[in-house]
Amino acid sequence: MNTNTDTETSLSVIIPITERFDPISELFHEYKRGVEATGKEYEFVYVLDGDQPATLKELTKLKEPEKLKKITLAKRFGESTALSAAFSETTGDIILTLPAYQQIEADEIPRLVDSLENCDMVLARRWPRRDSFMNRLQNRLFNSLLRLSTDLKIHDAGCSARAFKRTVVEEIQLYGDLHRFFPVRAHRQGFRVVELNVTQSQKDG
């Protein structure tokens, strides 16, 4: 695993790689552009859910050794375990999770991070939705059911782009499929959780 520079990191970006992912180098540089626009010292933490030699090889080719950490899980455990493994390796006071495929435009990343000034967790809501009717229908049904079970009004729980303060992960553990309900658990723990409308990536859906 690579180590950081002596410069203090304030923003840790976690990208779990499970079954679906875009070309590694292309997505990294797209996200990096958005992350650098925050003006914060940053690090990227990639978590490979299981043995993925080809993906690991592509990550090794990236020319950012001082800002890039790589974690490989022994087998496929799922996204919740992948995120938990990454949390323990991050050093930033702010954590940003991004999917391994582009759901939102990278230009929206600074808005997500800046919105933490007034809350503990910010959820990206892709709006307006551009993807297929079936995707939008499934998303609407899932979020409707979620809203029935909690007073936290979420409209896009399927979006993995989230920014939150380190204090959130210090109190909440993820396992199983609970990454989908991470915001709900944070809300129930007393953290302030808000949604932010962002531009959906043209590559999403």
Side-chain angles (χ1 to χ4, degrees):
M1 183 179 299
N2 302 103
T3 57
N4 294 321
T5 60
D6 294 333
T7 304
E8 184 176 356
T9 299
S10 58
L11 174 61
S12 296
V13 184
I14 299 175
I15 303 177
I17 302 181
T18 54
E19 296 180 354
R20 178 184 173 186
F21 54 91
D22 287 342
I24 298 299
S25 179
E26 177 183 335
L27 185 64
F28 171 76
H29 288 99
E30 182 70 9
Y31 279 158
K32 179 187 171 187
R33 179 173 60 82
V35 169
E36 287 187 334
T38 67
K40 298 182 180 297
E41 289 296 327
Y42 64 88
E43 64 180 356
F44 276 81
V45 181
Y46 277 85
V47 190
L48 280 66
D49 187 28
D51 186 29
Q52 303 181 49
T55 305
L56 182 60
K57 183 178 180 179
E58 289 301 312
L59 285 172
T60 305
K61 292 179 181 178
L62 296 176
K63 306 298 184 182
E64 299 287 337
E66 76 282 1
K67 294 182 181 291
L68 182 65
K69 295 180 179 179
K70 301 179 289 291
I71 302 170
T72 299
L73 303 184
K75 63 178 183 179
R76 290 191 180 276
F77 288 98
E79 189 166 334
S80 292
T81 300
L83 288 172
S84 293
F87 291 158
S88 62
E89 295 294 334
T90 59
T91 58
D93 293 328
I94 296 174
I95 298 174
L96 173 68
T97 62
L98 295 171
Y101 54 94
Q102 198 167 355
Q103 290 183 314
I104 69 171
E105 293 294 339
D107 292 337
E108 298 286 17
I109 290 175
R111 292 183 59 226
L112 276 175
V113 174
D114 289 344
S115 294
L116 282 175
E117 292 184 4
N118 302 310
C119 62
D120 302 299
M121 175 181 281
V122 183
L123 315 177
R125 179 194 181 189
R126 295 163 290 180
W127 186 259
R129 294 297 293 264
R130 297 172 174 170
D131 42 342
S132 69
F133 171 76
M134 185 57 67
N135 282 353
R136 283 181 281 130
L137 178 61
Q138 291 175 343
N139 181 76
R140 184 175 299 178
L141 289 174
F142 177 76
N143 286 285
S144 295
L145 291 173
L146 192 59
R147 288 196 296 272
L148 289 174
S149 62
T150 177
D151 59 347
L152 179 62
K153 305 308 178 184
I154 297 178
H155 299 86
D156 194 5
C159 186
S160 301
R162 301 165 177 171
F164 42 92
K165 297 175 181 177
R166 172 166 294 280
T167 51
V168 177
V169 298
E170 289 175 347
E171 294 193 26
I172 299 175
Q173 292 186 338
L174 294 181
Y175 52 88
D177 289 326
L178 288 181
H179 64 278
R180 298 180 182 276
F181 304 98
F182 187 22
V184 175
R185 298 186 69 202
H187 173 69
R188 288 176 176 171
Q189 285 287 99
F191 292 106
R192 187 180 178 199
V193 181
V194 302
E195 273 190 329
L196 178 69
N197 290 346
V198 301
T199 303
Q200 183 178 10
S201 171
Q202 295 183 3
K203 302 176 182 178
D204 188 29

